[in-house]
Amino acid sequence: MATQIDALEPLPLPEGPPERRLPPRQWIRENLFGSIFDSVLTVVFGAFLAWAAYRIGKFVFVDADWEIIRRNLTTLMVGSFPRTELWRVWAALFVLAASLGFGAGAVGAQRRREVAEGRAEPAPKGVAARRLAPVVILVSVLLWFSGSLENLLLVLAIAAVGAVSNVVGRRTPRRLERYVPLLVLAGILIAFLIIVAFGGIKWNDWGGFMLTIFLAVGGILLSFPVGVLLALGRRSSLPAVRIVCTAYIELIRGVPLVALLFMGVFMLGFFLPEGVARPDTVVRVLVALVMFTSAYVAEIVRGGLQSVPAAQVEAAQALGLSPYRTTRQIVLPQALRSVIPGLVGQFISLYKDTSLVFIVGLADLLTISENITKQPDFLAQGLIVETLVFASFIYWTGSYWMSRESQRLERRLGLGER
Amino acid sequence: MSVTQNGKDMIRLEGVSKWFGDFQALRDVDLAVDRQEVVVVCGPSGSGKSTMIRCINRLEKHDGGRIVVDGIELSDDLRNIQEVRREVGMVFQQFNLFPHLSVLENITLAPRNVRRRPRKEAEESAMELLRRVRIPEQAHKYPLQLSGGQQQRAAIARALAMEPKIMLFDEPTSALDPEMIKEVLDVMIELAESGMTMIVITHEMGFARAVARRMVFMADGEIVEVGTPEHFFTNPEEERTKQFLAQIL
């Protein structure tokens, strides 16, 4: 019976958009060699790419002498941080893994609920692995350079702690969900305290990648709220607030970051009253970075605030929401999600601008990369290329990770949006 | 229309005027709306209909005259304004739902934040309202995943969640495709029959005939004519009313 029906005519397929998927050979012909001009471009750029890949590969795997990185890895990571106190850094990493893993788990649970309620699409397969990829690549390279079994085991233990707290985070009861961001922030704070408190290591001994990350994360976490407040202040109906915020933004944006760093370090003392302890250089630098970035963040956020239609505010007012609630729950959420690309761009900028702190005598990742080439064993061997490639690679993984996360966030928030 | 303080009026406008720059949008408007009364306002565009009802919940500030809502006079006192806004629900032409919140969150936002209802209780009454406007299955969607008619019904539910004594409708069906107008009007008719005090700006004359106790015709910032729907449609007195009706009927 069945064969008879098959023989009559094929069953109609369910309707769907026609699939346009070319076999590789045809795709190449259409897209790479469609016309003479295309073919020329393809050949020229193909040759260039192949040559570049060859040169880079040859440098990284054959010519380069990575001994300088291997021997100075700890210095690159933590600068002159006392080697007997390194356990503090590892302990901080454990705490960070626990709190970030927990936070990611809680967000994941929220996402799954939205999927179950039919207002978000399920995440594509393997998305977690892809999101972690930049971190995994970075850590693998670092482990390869360190070549130490002990470090490998420590990293695996940290990863395990992160995974376990991720599982715990997924079981967060819904009514506690709003405390998750606080908990993650508390984790970051505890990690910080483990390093500095209880006879810990003061800022002046910080250095290397640790200092870079500290300045970048601290700068981002502080300049974001300050920038949002400045943006709101610039639109305030109170003239005094508006004038102060506008003046601040315009002044700071008119000054080079380098000048601000110098001022923070050399001029702050004049402004502080007698008897107040002079803060460490690292604190002064952080303040300068936050002052600088928050002015830019403020202008980006202001653009977002202007993009929220007045009708949204009217609808909130008509419901009896107070001005604070209206800003907090209606205007800001919509304003911020429309400026994610600009904000993340600013934060990536800040991350790399931390390398400017060398001018006030701090030893960040980039400074150390240069300094180690002056060691007696490595002097005058042209090893600056190796150290710069290594430092750039570290900067790049961080920036690339931020950029990818911002794109993901945009897509995620874009669903069901105007 | 004599002005007396008999406490029966839900809304009372006395000699209200409003300027936008040099343009006078409202000229000496008097209107009193009874408890449980449904008033339909019509008139050509630019006649001040929207401005008038937007003054009632202070989305616009009137420049002259008095506005008293349920015994509270609107003044610059922020507490008075908040109190009036809690009593007055508003539905907009463009729905103005909050796109970053689900339908359920749109509805529970004000009860939770202004009336301080616990989440569970607020969600239960929100679901009740969504059943009333016949879209309970859309509770967890975002507004832009809904059709226009569904969005406007969600917006009505959002306004009702504050348990207002008065509902203002600013051309609630003008932005809708024809086949969705009826589903919104049906909800509004039920609301009118439940005894809600309503001021509705609309050109849906079938709706006006069905539920309006009085018709108000406005032109050039003035109330030109007020009357029962029967009188208004069959026997208008003013020349401007006749012209307007000839154009839209």
Side-chain angles (χ1 to χ4, degrees), chain A residues 117 119 174 311-312 314 317-320 325 329 333-334 417-418, chain B residues 54 59 82 85 96-100 113-114 119 140 142 144 162:
Chain A
E117 286 171 348
R119 59 183 155 133
R174 195 172 165 189
Q312 289 285 311
E314 287 182 353
Q317 286 176 340
L319 285 168
R325 287 275 168 205
Q329 292 186 297
Q334 296 186 56
E417 287 289 314
R418 72 177 75 243
Chain B
R54 286 161 62 86
L59 289 185
Q82 290 300 102
R85 281 177 179 164
N96 297 0
L97 289 167
F98 306 126
H100 61 300
N113 286 302
V114 182
R119 180 220 289 266
H140 295 293
Y142 285 106
L144 293 179
M162 284 295 282

PDB file of all heavy atoms in Angstrom, chain A residues 117 119 174 311-312 314 317-320 325 329 333-334 417-418, chain B residues 54 59 82 85 96-100 113-114 119 140 142 144 162:
ATOM      1  N   GLU A 117       8.850  30.560  29.030  1.00  0.00           N
ATOM      2  CA  GLU A 117       7.656  31.393  28.943  1.00  0.00           C
ATOM      3  C   GLU A 117       7.438  31.926  27.532  1.00  0.00           C
ATOM      4  O   GLU A 117       6.519  32.706  27.285  1.00  0.00           O
ATOM      5  CB  GLU A 117       7.755  32.562  29.936  1.00  0.00           C
ATOM      6  CG  GLU A 117       7.547  32.127  31.371  1.00  0.00           C
ATOM      7  CD  GLU A 117       7.867  33.231  32.371  1.00  0.00           C
ATOM      8  OE1 GLU A 117       8.465  34.237  31.965  1.00  0.00           O
ATOM      9  OE2 GLU A 117       7.516  33.066  33.548  1.00  0.00           O
ATOM     10  N   ARG A 119       9.304  33.973  25.542  1.00  0.00           N
ATOM     11  CA  ARG A 119       9.655  35.320  25.082  1.00  0.00           C
ATOM     12  C   ARG A 119      11.138  35.466  24.792  1.00  0.00           C
ATOM     13  O   ARG A 119      11.648  36.549  24.603  1.00  0.00           O
ATOM     14  CB  ARG A 119       9.208  36.375  26.075  1.00  0.00           C
ATOM     15  CG  ARG A 119       9.792  36.224  27.436  1.00  0.00           C
ATOM     16  CD  ARG A 119       9.196  37.285  28.324  1.00  0.00           C
ATOM     17  NE  ARG A 119       9.245  36.862  29.687  1.00  0.00           N
ATOM     18  CZ  ARG A 119       9.681  37.636  30.659  1.00  0.00           C
ATOM     19  NH1 ARG A 119      10.131  38.823  30.395  1.00  0.00           N
ATOM     20  NH2 ARG A 119       9.683  37.198  31.882  1.00  0.00           N
ATOM     21  N   ARG A 174      13.830  32.233  42.818  1.00  0.00           N
ATOM     22  CA  ARG A 174      13.496  33.417  42.054  1.00  0.00           C
ATOM     23  C   ARG A 174      13.452  34.674  42.916  1.00  0.00           C
ATOM     24  O   ARG A 174      13.845  35.752  42.493  1.00  0.00           O
ATOM     25  CB  ARG A 174      12.140  33.204  41.393  1.00  0.00           C
ATOM     26  CG  ARG A 174      11.902  34.219  40.328  1.00  0.00           C
ATOM     27  CD  ARG A 174      10.666  33.923  39.547  1.00  0.00           C
ATOM     28  NE  ARG A 174      10.320  35.120  38.800  1.00  0.00           N
ATOM     29  CZ  ARG A 174       9.208  35.286  38.136  1.00  0.00           C
ATOM     30  NH1 ARG A 174       8.321  34.329  38.115  1.00  0.00           N
ATOM     31  NH2 ARG A 174       8.968  36.398  37.493  1.00  0.00           N
ATOM     32  N   ALA A 311       6.873  59.869  24.906  1.00  0.00           N
ATOM     33  CA  ALA A 311       5.621  59.159  25.216  1.00  0.00           C
ATOM     34  C   ALA A 311       5.830  58.104  26.292  1.00  0.00           C
ATOM     35  O   ALA A 311       4.915  57.802  27.059  1.00  0.00           O
ATOM     36  CB  ALA A 311       5.075  58.512  23.947  1.00  0.00           C
ATOM     37  N   GLN A 312       7.047  57.538  26.358  1.00  0.00           N
ATOM     38  CA  GLN A 312       7.324  56.541  27.395  1.00  0.00           C
ATOM     39  C   GLN A 312       7.269  57.175  28.779  1.00  0.00           C
ATOM     40  O   GLN A 312       6.741  56.599  29.721  1.00  0.00           O
ATOM     41  CB  GLN A 312       8.709  55.925  27.159  1.00  0.00           C
ATOM     42  CG  GLN A 312       8.765  55.013  25.959  1.00  0.00           C
ATOM     43  CD  GLN A 312       8.098  53.690  26.245  1.00  0.00           C
ATOM     44  OE1 GLN A 312       8.368  53.056  27.252  1.00  0.00           O
ATOM     45  NE2 GLN A 312       7.197  53.291  25.371  1.00  0.00           N
ATOM     46  N   GLU A 314       5.588  59.885  29.523  1.00  0.00           N
ATOM     47  CA  GLU A 314       4.193  60.243  29.784  1.00  0.00           C
ATOM     48  C   GLU A 314       3.402  59.037  30.277  1.00  0.00           C
ATOM     49  O   GLU A 314       2.604  59.146  31.208  1.00  0.00           O
ATOM     50  CB  GLU A 314       3.548  60.792  28.515  1.00  0.00           C
ATOM     51  CG  GLU A 314       4.029  62.182  28.177  1.00  0.00           C
ATOM     52  CD  GLU A 314       3.350  62.728  26.943  1.00  0.00           C
ATOM     53  OE1 GLU A 314       2.603  61.976  26.285  1.00  0.00           O
ATOM     54  OE2 GLU A 314       3.578  63.904  26.636  1.00  0.00           O
ATOM     55  N   GLN A 317       4.290  58.485  33.826  1.00  0.00           N
ATOM     56  CA  GLN A 317       3.695  59.514  34.682  1.00  0.00           C
ATOM     57  C   GLN A 317       2.205  59.262  34.869  1.00  0.00           C
ATOM     58  O   GLN A 317       1.670  59.383  35.966  1.00  0.00           O
ATOM     59  CB  GLN A 317       3.894  60.891  34.060  1.00  0.00           C
ATOM     60  CG  GLN A 317       5.319  61.402  34.174  1.00  0.00           C
ATOM     61  CD  GLN A 317       5.489  62.723  33.450  1.00  0.00           C
ATOM     62  OE1 GLN A 317       4.699  63.078  32.582  1.00  0.00           O
ATOM     63  NE2 GLN A 317       6.537  63.448  33.796  1.00  0.00           N
ATOM     64  N   ALA A 318       1.542  58.914  33.765  1.00  0.00           N
ATOM     65  CA  ALA A 318       0.096  58.701  33.839  1.00  0.00           C
ATOM     66  C   ALA A 318      -0.239  57.565  34.800  1.00  0.00           C
ATOM     67  O   ALA A 318      -1.319  57.524  35.370  1.00  0.00           O
ATOM     68  CB  ALA A 318      -0.458  58.400  32.447  1.00  0.00           C
ATOM     69  N   LEU A 319       0.694  56.630  34.979  1.00  0.00           N
ATOM     70  CA  LEU A 319       0.456  55.526  35.910  1.00  0.00           C
ATOM     71  C   LEU A 319       0.756  55.936  37.350  1.00  0.00           C
ATOM     72  O   LEU A 319       0.567  55.156  38.269  1.00  0.00           O
ATOM     73  CB  LEU A 319       1.337  54.329  35.550  1.00  0.00           C
ATOM     74  CG  LEU A 319       0.906  53.536  34.323  1.00  0.00           C
ATOM     75  CD1 LEU A 319       2.010  52.577  33.892  1.00  0.00           C
ATOM     76  CD2 LEU A 319      -0.365  52.765  34.616  1.00  0.00           C
ATOM     77  N   GLY A 320       1.267  57.142  37.529  1.00  0.00           N
ATOM     78  CA  GLY A 320       1.559  57.602  38.880  1.00  0.00           C
ATOM     79  C   GLY A 320       2.967  57.278  39.349  1.00  0.00           C
ATOM     80  O   GLY A 320       3.277  57.411  40.534  1.00  0.00           O
ATOM     81  N   ARG A 325      11.351  56.651  39.894  1.00  0.00           N
ATOM     82  CA  ARG A 325      10.967  55.344  39.337  1.00  0.00           C
ATOM     83  C   ARG A 325      10.915  55.376  37.815  1.00  0.00           C
ATOM     84  O   ARG A 325      11.301  54.423  37.142  1.00  0.00           O
ATOM     85  CB  ARG A 325       9.595  54.937  39.865  1.00  0.00           C
ATOM     86  CG  ARG A 325       9.602  54.506  41.296  1.00  0.00           C
ATOM     87  CD  ARG A 325       9.970  53.047  41.374  1.00  0.00           C
ATOM     88  NE  ARG A 325      10.257  52.669  42.740  1.00  0.00           N
ATOM     89  CZ  ARG A 325      11.040  51.651  43.071  1.00  0.00           C
ATOM     90  NH1 ARG A 325      11.618  50.936  42.132  1.00  0.00           N
ATOM     91  NH2 ARG A 325      11.257  51.356  44.315  1.00  0.00           N
ATOM     92  N   GLN A 329      13.234  52.825  35.986  1.00  0.00           N
ATOM     93  CA  GLN A 329      12.652  51.598  35.432  1.00  0.00           C
ATOM     94  C   GLN A 329      12.169  51.726  33.998  1.00  0.00           C
ATOM     95  O   GLN A 329      11.979  50.712  33.333  1.00  0.00           O
ATOM     96  CB  GLN A 329      11.515  51.142  36.334  1.00  0.00           C
ATOM     97  CG  GLN A 329      12.120  50.698  37.654  1.00  0.00           C
ATOM     98  CD  GLN A 329      11.122  50.078  38.584  1.00  0.00           C
ATOM     99  OE1 GLN A 329      10.190  50.739  39.001  1.00  0.00           O
ATOM    100  NE2 GLN A 329      11.312  48.825  38.911  1.00  0.00           N
ATOM    101  N   PRO A 333      16.680  51.850  31.463  1.00  0.00           N
ATOM    102  CA  PRO A 333      16.861  50.550  30.809  1.00  0.00           C
ATOM    103  C   PRO A 333      16.807  50.654  29.293  1.00  0.00           C
ATOM    104  O   PRO A 333      17.618  50.037  28.592  1.00  0.00           O
ATOM    105  CB  PRO A 333      15.687  49.712  31.337  1.00  0.00           C
ATOM    106  CG  PRO A 333      15.256  50.368  32.588  1.00  0.00           C
ATOM    107  CD  PRO A 333      15.572  51.833  32.433  1.00  0.00           C
ATOM    108  N   GLN A 334      15.882  51.469  28.784  1.00  0.00           N
ATOM    109  CA  GLN A 334      15.782  51.590  27.324  1.00  0.00           C
ATOM    110  C   GLN A 334      16.942  52.383  26.763  1.00  0.00           C
ATOM    111  O   GLN A 334      17.464  52.078  25.687  1.00  0.00           O
ATOM    112  CB  GLN A 334      14.466  52.265  26.945  1.00  0.00           C
ATOM    113  CG  GLN A 334      13.254  51.451  27.327  1.00  0.00           C
ATOM    114  CD  GLN A 334      11.964  52.067  26.812  1.00  0.00           C
ATOM    115  OE1 GLN A 334      11.821  52.304  25.627  1.00  0.00           O
ATOM    116  NE2 GLN A 334      11.038  52.345  27.710  1.00  0.00           N
ATOM    117  N   GLU A 417      12.168  43.952  20.456  1.00  0.00           N
ATOM    118  CA  GLU A 417      12.413  45.380  20.643  1.00  0.00           C
ATOM    119  C   GLU A 417      11.889  46.168  19.470  1.00  0.00           C
ATOM    120  O   GLU A 417      11.599  45.637  18.417  1.00  0.00           O
ATOM    121  CB  GLU A 417      13.918  45.625  20.783  1.00  0.00           C
ATOM    122  CG  GLU A 417      14.459  45.164  22.103  1.00  0.00           C
ATOM    123  CD  GLU A 417      14.004  46.060  23.220  1.00  0.00           C
ATOM    124  OE1 GLU A 417      14.069  47.277  23.078  1.00  0.00           O
ATOM    125  OE2 GLU A 417      13.563  45.524  24.236  1.00  0.00           O
ATOM    126  N   ARG A 418      11.831  47.487  19.678  1.00  0.00           N
ATOM    127  CA  ARG A 418      11.407  48.346  18.581  1.00  0.00           C
ATOM    128  C   ARG A 418      12.462  48.323  17.507  1.00  0.00           C
ATOM    129  O   ARG A 418      13.601  48.083  17.747  1.00  0.00           O
ATOM    130  CB  ARG A 418      11.158  49.770  19.075  1.00  0.00           C
ATOM    131  CG  ARG A 418      12.425  50.528  19.434  1.00  0.00           C
ATOM    132  CD  ARG A 418      12.105  51.955  19.837  1.00  0.00           C
ATOM    133  NE  ARG A 418      11.522  52.002  21.157  1.00  0.00           N
ATOM    134  CZ  ARG A 418      10.278  52.446  21.392  1.00  0.00           C
ATOM    135  NH1 ARG A 418       9.526  52.810  20.404  1.00  0.00           N
ATOM    136  NH2 ARG A 418       9.816  52.478  22.612  1.00  0.00           N
TER     137      ARG A 418
ATOM    138  N   ARG B  54      -5.380  65.672  28.563  1.00  0.00           N
ATOM    139  CA  ARG B  54      -4.022  65.587  29.122  1.00  0.00           C
ATOM    140  C   ARG B  54      -3.835  66.559  30.283  1.00  0.00           C
ATOM    141  O   ARG B  54      -2.962  66.367  31.119  1.00  0.00           O
ATOM    142  CB  ARG B  54      -2.984  65.841  28.033  1.00  0.00           C
ATOM    143  CG  ARG B  54      -2.834  64.650  27.082  1.00  0.00           C
ATOM    144  CD  ARG B  54      -2.170  65.061  25.789  1.00  0.00           C
ATOM    145  NE  ARG B  54      -0.825  65.559  26.010  1.00  0.00           N
ATOM    146  CZ  ARG B  54       0.247  64.784  26.076  1.00  0.00           C
ATOM    147  NH1 ARG B  54       0.123  63.491  25.919  1.00  0.00           N
ATOM    148  NH2 ARG B  54       1.428  65.299  26.286  1.00  0.00           N
ATOM    149  N   LEU B  59      -0.532  65.777  32.398  1.00  0.00           N
ATOM    150  CA  LEU B  59       0.549  65.595  31.423  1.00  0.00           C
ATOM    151  C   LEU B  59       0.827  66.943  30.776  1.00  0.00           C
ATOM    152  O   LEU B  59       1.914  67.184  30.269  1.00  0.00           O
ATOM    153  CB  LEU B  59       0.166  64.545  30.375  1.00  0.00           C
ATOM    154  CG  LEU B  59       0.119  63.100  30.872  1.00  0.00           C
ATOM    155  CD1 LEU B  59      -0.155  62.150  29.720  1.00  0.00           C
ATOM    156  CD2 LEU B  59       1.402  62.705  31.587  1.00  0.00           C
ATOM    157  N   GLN B  82       0.446  63.535  42.045  1.00  0.00           N
ATOM    158  CA  GLN B  82       0.599  62.078  42.154  1.00  0.00           C
ATOM    159  C   GLN B  82      -0.717  61.435  42.575  1.00  0.00           C
ATOM    160  O   GLN B  82      -1.084  60.372  42.091  1.00  0.00           O
ATOM    161  CB  GLN B  82       1.693  61.739  43.175  1.00  0.00           C
ATOM    162  CG  GLN B  82       3.091  62.090  42.735  1.00  0.00           C
ATOM    163  CD  GLN B  82       3.512  61.385  41.470  1.00  0.00           C
ATOM    164  OE1 GLN B  82       3.504  61.970  40.396  1.00  0.00           O
ATOM    165  NE2 GLN B  82       3.864  60.114  41.574  1.00  0.00           N
ATOM    166  N   ARG B  85      -3.028  61.331  39.627  1.00  0.00           N
ATOM    167  CA  ARG B  85      -2.601  60.350  38.617  1.00  0.00           C
ATOM    168  C   ARG B  85      -2.915  58.928  39.037  1.00  0.00           C
ATOM    169  O   ARG B  85      -3.115  58.047  38.222  1.00  0.00           O
ATOM    170  CB  ARG B  85      -1.109  60.508  38.340  1.00  0.00           C
ATOM    171  CG  ARG B  85      -0.837  61.676  37.427  1.00  0.00           C
ATOM    172  CD  ARG B  85       0.637  61.869  37.225  1.00  0.00           C
ATOM    173  NE  ARG B  85       0.884  62.994  36.329  1.00  0.00           N
ATOM    174  CZ  ARG B  85       2.052  63.593  36.211  1.00  0.00           C
ATOM    175  NH1 ARG B  85       3.083  63.164  36.912  1.00  0.00           N
ATOM    176  NH2 ARG B  85       2.197  64.598  35.381  1.00  0.00           N
ATOM    177  N   ASN B  96       1.872  53.098  23.857  1.00  0.00           N
ATOM    178  CA  ASN B  96       2.937  53.468  24.796  1.00  0.00           C
ATOM    179  C   ASN B  96       3.214  52.405  25.849  1.00  0.00           C
ATOM    180  O   ASN B  96       3.468  52.718  27.013  1.00  0.00           O
ATOM    181  CB  ASN B  96       2.621  54.795  25.496  1.00  0.00           C
ATOM    182  CG  ASN B  96       2.536  55.942  24.509  1.00  0.00           C
ATOM    183  OD1 ASN B  96       2.724  55.732  23.312  1.00  0.00           O
ATOM    184  ND2 ASN B  96       2.272  57.128  25.000  1.00  0.00           N
ATOM    185  N   LEU B  97       3.154  51.138  25.446  1.00  0.00           N
ATOM    186  CA  LEU B  97       3.600  50.082  26.364  1.00  0.00           C
ATOM    187  C   LEU B  97       5.108  50.189  26.513  1.00  0.00           C
ATOM    188  O   LEU B  97       5.790  50.748  25.652  1.00  0.00           O
ATOM    189  CB  LEU B  97       3.205  48.711  25.818  1.00  0.00           C
ATOM    190  CG  LEU B  97       1.703  48.406  25.859  1.00  0.00           C
ATOM    191  CD1 LEU B  97       1.396  47.183  25.024  1.00  0.00           C
ATOM    192  CD2 LEU B  97       1.233  48.197  27.286  1.00  0.00           C
ATOM    193  N   PHE B  98       5.650  49.651  27.598  1.00  0.00           N
ATOM    194  CA  PHE B  98       7.096  49.701  27.811  1.00  0.00           C
ATOM    195  C   PHE B  98       7.736  48.515  27.091  1.00  0.00           C
ATOM    196  O   PHE B  98       7.528  47.373  27.489  1.00  0.00           O
ATOM    197  CB  PHE B  98       7.408  49.672  29.306  1.00  0.00           C
ATOM    198  CG  PHE B  98       6.687  50.748  30.072  1.00  0.00           C
ATOM    199  CD1 PHE B  98       5.911  50.442  31.166  1.00  0.00           C
ATOM    200  CD2 PHE B  98       6.780  52.080  29.674  1.00  0.00           C
ATOM    201  CE1 PHE B  98       5.232  51.438  31.861  1.00  0.00           C
ATOM    202  CE2 PHE B  98       6.103  53.077  30.360  1.00  0.00           C
ATOM    203  CZ  PHE B  98       5.334  52.757  31.451  1.00  0.00           C
ATOM    204  N   PRO B  99       8.500  48.779  26.019  1.00  0.00           N
ATOM    205  CA  PRO B  99       8.944  47.678  25.160  1.00  0.00           C
ATOM    206  C   PRO B  99       9.933  46.734  25.831  1.00  0.00           C
ATOM    207  O   PRO B  99      10.097  45.608  25.387  1.00  0.00           O
ATOM    208  CB  PRO B  99       9.592  48.400  23.969  1.00  0.00           C
ATOM    209  CG  PRO B  99       9.966  49.741  24.496  1.00  0.00           C
ATOM    210  CD  PRO B  99       8.947  50.086  25.536  1.00  0.00           C
ATOM    211  N   HIS B 100      10.600  47.185  26.907  1.00  0.00           N
ATOM    212  CA  HIS B 100      11.617  46.333  27.520  1.00  0.00           C
ATOM    213  C   HIS B 100      11.031  45.454  28.615  1.00  0.00           C
ATOM    214  O   HIS B 100      11.765  44.693  29.240  1.00  0.00           O
ATOM    215  CB  HIS B 100      12.749  47.184  28.080  1.00  0.00           C
ATOM    216  CG  HIS B 100      12.299  48.143  29.147  1.00  0.00           C
ATOM    217  ND1 HIS B 100      11.368  49.119  28.922  1.00  0.00           N
ATOM    218  CD2 HIS B 100      12.646  48.260  30.443  1.00  0.00           C
ATOM    219  CE1 HIS B 100      11.158  49.808  30.030  1.00  0.00           C
ATOM    220  NE2 HIS B 100      11.925  49.300  30.975  1.00  0.00           N
ATOM    221  N   ASN B 113       5.077  49.314  42.403  1.00  0.00           N
ATOM    222  CA  ASN B 113       5.927  50.432  42.803  1.00  0.00           C
ATOM    223  C   ASN B 113       5.163  51.582  43.429  1.00  0.00           C
ATOM    224  O   ASN B 113       5.698  52.276  44.285  1.00  0.00           O
ATOM    225  CB  ASN B 113       6.715  50.949  41.596  1.00  0.00           C
ATOM    226  CG  ASN B 113       7.836  50.007  41.229  1.00  0.00           C
ATOM    227  OD1 ASN B 113       8.693  49.731  42.047  1.00  0.00           O
ATOM    228  ND2 ASN B 113       7.804  49.480  40.026  1.00  0.00           N
ATOM    229  N   VAL B 114       3.946  51.814  42.968  1.00  0.00           N
ATOM    230  CA  VAL B 114       3.194  52.958  43.494  1.00  0.00           C
ATOM    231  C   VAL B 114       2.277  52.515  44.624  1.00  0.00           C
ATOM    232  O   VAL B 114       2.221  53.138  45.666  1.00  0.00           O
ATOM    233  CB  VAL B 114       2.388  53.630  42.363  1.00  0.00           C
ATOM    234  CG1 VAL B 114       1.659  54.847  42.896  1.00  0.00           C
ATOM    235  CG2 VAL B 114       3.307  54.028  41.225  1.00  0.00           C
ATOM    236  N   ARG B 119       4.564  41.126  44.825  1.00  0.00           N
ATOM    237  CA  ARG B 119       4.619  40.670  43.455  1.00  0.00           C
ATOM    238  C   ARG B 119       3.511  39.655  43.126  1.00  0.00           C
ATOM    239  O   ARG B 119       2.828  39.755  42.109  1.00  0.00           O
ATOM    240  CB  ARG B 119       5.980  40.038  43.164  1.00  0.00           C
ATOM    241  CG  ARG B 119       6.090  39.543  41.724  1.00  0.00           C
ATOM    242  CD  ARG B 119       6.814  38.229  41.619  1.00  0.00           C
ATOM    243  NE  ARG B 119       8.235  38.373  41.880  1.00  0.00           N
ATOM    244  CZ  ARG B 119       9.152  38.555  40.927  1.00  0.00           C
ATOM    245  NH1 ARG B 119       8.793  38.608  39.678  1.00  0.00           N
ATOM    246  NH2 ARG B 119      10.407  38.650  41.260  1.00  0.00           N
ATOM    247  N   HIS B 140       3.421  36.670  29.015  1.00  0.00           N
ATOM    248  CA  HIS B 140       4.883  36.677  29.131  1.00  0.00           C
ATOM    249  C   HIS B 140       5.576  37.175  27.878  1.00  0.00           C
ATOM    250  O   HIS B 140       6.793  37.179  27.802  1.00  0.00           O
ATOM    251  CB  HIS B 140       5.378  35.278  29.489  1.00  0.00           C
ATOM    252  CG  HIS B 140       4.899  34.850  30.842  1.00  0.00           C
ATOM    253  ND1 HIS B 140       5.319  35.454  31.991  1.00  0.00           N
ATOM    254  CD2 HIS B 140       3.996  33.912  31.209  1.00  0.00           C
ATOM    255  CE1 HIS B 140       4.718  34.898  33.024  1.00  0.00           C
ATOM    256  NE2 HIS B 140       3.903  33.962  32.574  1.00  0.00           N
ATOM    257  N   TYR B 142       6.696  40.048  24.964  1.00  0.00           N
ATOM    258  CA  TYR B 142       7.022  41.465  24.941  1.00  0.00           C
ATOM    259  C   TYR B 142       6.005  42.185  24.055  1.00  0.00           C
ATOM    260  O   TYR B 142       5.488  41.595  23.105  1.00  0.00           O
ATOM    261  CB  TYR B 142       8.443  41.679  24.408  1.00  0.00           C
ATOM    262  CG  TYR B 142       9.505  41.325  25.412  1.00  0.00           C
ATOM    263  CD1 TYR B 142      10.259  40.168  25.284  1.00  0.00           C
ATOM    264  CD2 TYR B 142       9.731  42.138  26.511  1.00  0.00           C
ATOM    265  CE1 TYR B 142      11.218  39.835  26.224  1.00  0.00           C
ATOM    266  CE2 TYR B 142      10.693  41.812  27.449  1.00  0.00           C
ATOM    267  CZ  TYR B 142      11.431  40.665  27.298  1.00  0.00           C
ATOM    268  OH  TYR B 142      12.372  40.349  28.230  1.00  0.00           O
ATOM    269  N   LEU B 144       6.029  44.172  21.573  1.00  0.00           N
ATOM    270  CA  LEU B 144       6.142  44.219  20.119  1.00  0.00           C
ATOM    271  C   LEU B 144       5.969  42.853  19.470  1.00  0.00           C
ATOM    272  O   LEU B 144       6.012  42.725  18.261  1.00  0.00           O
ATOM    273  CB  LEU B 144       7.475  44.859  19.713  1.00  0.00           C
ATOM    274  CG  LEU B 144       7.513  46.343  20.096  1.00  0.00           C
ATOM    275  CD1 LEU B 144       8.824  46.969  19.735  1.00  0.00           C
ATOM    276  CD2 LEU B 144       6.367  47.097  19.430  1.00  0.00           C
ATOM    277  N   MET B 162      -4.183  49.894  38.205  1.00  0.00           N
ATOM    278  CA  MET B 162      -4.081  50.848  39.314  1.00  0.00           C
ATOM    279  C   MET B 162      -5.439  51.107  39.956  1.00  0.00           C
ATOM    280  O   MET B 162      -5.573  51.976  40.805  1.00  0.00           O
ATOM    281  CB  MET B 162      -3.471  52.162  38.821  1.00  0.00           C
ATOM    282  CG  MET B 162      -1.982  52.096  38.592  1.00  0.00           C
ATOM    283  SD  MET B 162      -1.077  51.825  40.120  1.00  0.00           S
ATOM    284  CE  MET B 162      -1.126  53.471  40.827  1.00  0.00           C
TER     285      MET B 162
END
